[in-house]
Every structure is written in structure tokens, then in C-alpha cells.
Amino acid sequence: MSITRYGTEGGVGTGGQKLPFARAVEAGGWLYVSGQTPMTNGEVVEGGIVEQTRLAFDNCLAIMQEAGFGVEDVVHVTTVLTDARYFTSFNKVFKEVFGENPPARICSVQDLVVDCKVEVDVKCFRADRV
């Protein structure tokens, strides 16, 4: 089994810091996308939970597309919200992204190391890539 790493040159975090991990890793038909926050060019995009959730998912989807995976390949999502009151709004965006074929998911409330409202990661699978 081979392992392919995407974005090993390191992404850019807040303050322009170089991040020491891959954006995603593919192994045995699985793609593990590192947690994505609502950032563009290393800066958190201002906005409410809806805007921030959309951007966090857009960041995941861009990495998935780079690796040759689509939204239909997502089997699990891990979500961190910084406030339980964001749950309903987050769910609305989640449904927009995944439609009638939602993946499994865990959602927790905790502080994030980045000053934003949400972080998501995805795990994808394609049998044709095993």
C-alpha cells in the first residue's frame, strides 16, 4: 500500500506561520483531510457561523478535489464548534453540502487554537483507489 501526502510543503496558518503537517494523506483508498478552519491565505475570514462553516467546508472540498475525491466520497466528518448555540446553523450548512447522502459525524464544543467559530475535517473513501 502506498501513501500519498498532499500539501507537505506546509500550509500557512495565522500570522503567516508555516504549518508542519500535510493538508491530506491518502492510503489504501482512504483520504484523511486535516482540520480546516474558515481561513484564506492564512487569515481567518470574519463572519458568522454560516459563513465560517461554508468556508471551512469549501477548504476541505478544494483539498479533496486536488486529491481526486468528491463530496460523495466523504464517509465521516469531525466538527468542532466553539459555542453550542452554533449547532442548528452548522447543521443547515452541513445539509447544503451533503444533501440526502450525509456521512457519519461527530460534533463537539471546545476552544480552538485559531480564533474562529468552527473547524472540520473529513475522511473519504474510494474503493477504486485501494
Side-chain angles (χ1 to χ4, degrees):
M1 172 176 66
S2 66
I3 295 175
T4 304
R5 299 174 199 283
Y6 299 90
T8 56
E9 69 279 358
V12 178
T14 56
Q17 70 173 321
K18 225 173 153 120
L19 300 175
F21 51 85
R23 287 191 311 272
V25 175
E26 181 179 356
W30 289 91
L31 180 72
Y32 300 88
V33 177
S34 292
Q36 297 297 304
T37 56
M39 295 179 78
T40 301
N41 299 323
E43 296 298 324
V44 174
V45 173
E46 294 300 318
I49 187 61
V50 170
E51 294 82 13
Q52 287 201 2
T53 300
R54 283 189 181 126
L55 182 54
F57 274 120
D58 286 349
N59 290 342
C60 285
L61 294 170
I63 294 166
M64 291 163 46
Q65 183 177 23
E66 173 187 350
F69 287 75
V71 70
E72 67 280 1
D73 301 316
V74 177
V75 296
H76 189 267
V77 174
T78 302
T79 303
V80 176
L81 301 174
T82 57
D83 191 320
R85 292 174 291 185
Y86 299 153
F87 190 69
T88 301
S89 296
F90 174 83
N91 278 337
K92 288 179 185 174
V93 177
F94 189 89
K95 183 153 178 70
E96 288 174 15
V97 172
F98 296 106
E100 297 302 317
N101 298 299
R105 183 183 90 189
I106 186 170
C107 183
S108 64
V109 175
Q110 54 191 309
D111 290 333
L112 292 169
V113 296
V114 175
D115 187 20
C116 63
K117 296 170 175 53
V118 61
E119 181 172 358
V120 295
D121 78 18
V122 298
K123 294 151 201 78
C124 307
F125 181 74
R126 284 191 40 186
D128 64 325
R129 310 249 319 227
V130 174

